[in-house]
Amino acid sequence: MNTQVNDIEMLARAILTEARDEAEQIKADAKEKADAIRRRAQEQAEAERKAILDRAREEAERLRGQAVATAQLKSRSSQLTHREQLLERVFKAVKEKLPEVQNRPDYDEIVTMLLREALTQLRVNKAEVRADEATNKILRRGSLREVSKELGGDFKDGEVLEEGIGIVVDAADGKIHYDNTLETRLRRLQGGLRSSVYQVLTGEKV
């Protein structure tokens, strides 16, 4: 979750920095807009964390018996090894269910958030945006145009991603790159969620 919080703070600073050069009224409007963006990003990050934990709980019901058996192992090293195997199986199961995210009614908003975050991380005003086929359709319907206008950049859609769900941004003729696919985001979150997921597996309260 630290990565998401840092990402949100960087986006707010970028918007506020740009706003300082504008008139006082525009500056006030920009701050209000930045606050709204930060709230949306925080809400989305929390929804993403909740969705992963919900899927983990579903998988935990099937793996609970194995987790209990693991707790009974005499060797601590064997326990840790088995724990890691269980966690990897859970995250693998979650990864396999990521395509279901595209069926969510708010997936348009998720796409916009993924795009805005990637472009803000790169801090560029010109870039090529690649996405999977379903995500690309949303970008072309208006998300890409909306974020381009919001950030004041020249952002074009590129080739369809062959692997991954979400957004990949390339800039400076491919020299700089930001992968904001759901698979990559899951990998970023895994470290912070491992303890919570394991507590779910063992029946502890999160």
Side-chain angles (χ1 to χ4, degrees):
M1 294 300 295
N2 288 337
T3 300
Q4 279 72 21
V5 173
N6 290 336
D7 292 348
I8 295 164
E9 291 176 351
M10 290 176 69
L11 172 58
R13 286 199 298 271
I15 295 174
L16 291 175
T17 298
E18 181 181 3
R20 289 191 189 101
D21 297 329
E22 299 179 356
E24 194 62 31
Q25 182 60 45
I26 296 177
K27 182 177 180 180
D29 292 342
K31 183 179 184 300
E32 182 179 350
K33 184 176 182 181
D35 290 341
I37 291 173
R38 186 176 64 254
R39 287 194 298 273
R40 288 199 303 271
Q42 289 173 333
E43 291 168 359
Q44 184 55 48
E46 180 58 30
E48 186 175 7
R49 177 182 182 277
K50 183 178 182 301
I52 291 174
L53 286 176
D54 287 344
R55 295 187 188 101
R57 288 189 179 94
E58 295 174 3
E59 188 67 10
E61 293 302 318
R62 186 173 68 83
L63 299 174
R64 191 182 299 275
Q66 295 177 10
V68 171
T70 300
Q72 297 173 346
L73 294 176
K74 295 180 180 180
S75 171
R76 178 60 179 166
S77 61
S78 295
Q79 287 181 350
L80 292 174
T81 298
H82 201 62
R83 165 180 164 160
E84 290 306 305
Q85 291 175 344
L86 288 173
L87 288 171
E88 289 304 318
R89 290 174 65 185
V90 169
F91 283 114
K92 181 180 179 181
V94 172
K95 182 178 178 180
E96 291 172 351
K97 293 181 180 180
L98 285 178
E100 297 177 10
V101 174
Q102 293 184 314
N103 297 325
R104 290 174 48 151
D106 63 344
Y107 188 61
D108 285 26
E109 297 176 15
I110 293 174
V111 169
T112 301
M113 182 274 294
L114 292 174
L115 176 61
R116 182 187 293 114
E117 182 180 70
L119 291 170
T120 303
Q121 285 293 323
L122 288 184
R123 296 178 177 272
V124 295
N125 54 23
K126 185 176 182 180
E128 180 181 79
V129 179
R130 293 183 291 137
D132 61 277
E133 187 172 351
T135 302
N136 211 30
K137 290 180 181 178
I138 295 174
L139 290 175
R140 291 176 177 174
R141 281 206 303 264
S143 292
L144 183 57
R145 183 173 59 255
E146 173 189 333
V147 175
S148 296
K149 183 177 180 181
E150 176 185 313
L151 300 182
D154 180 17
F155 308 125
K156 306 295 184 182
D157 58 319
E159 296 181 0
V160 174
L161 287 179
E162 296 182 2
E163 295 183 3
I165 298 171
I167 300 289
V168 173
V169 176
D170 296 306
D173 295 325
K175 294 178 181 178
I176 54 177
H177 172 87
Y178 192 87
D179 185 337
N180 214 20
T181 58
L182 297 183
E183 290 82 358
T184 298
R185 290 178 67 84
L186 176 60
R187 286 196 297 272
R188 292 174 189 152
L189 287 169
Q190 277 184 212
L193 290 174
R194 295 182 83 82
S195 177
S196 296
V197 171
Y198 189 69
Q199 287 176 341
V200 171
L201 286 170
T202 56
E204 300 177 27
K205 292 184 177 180
V206 179

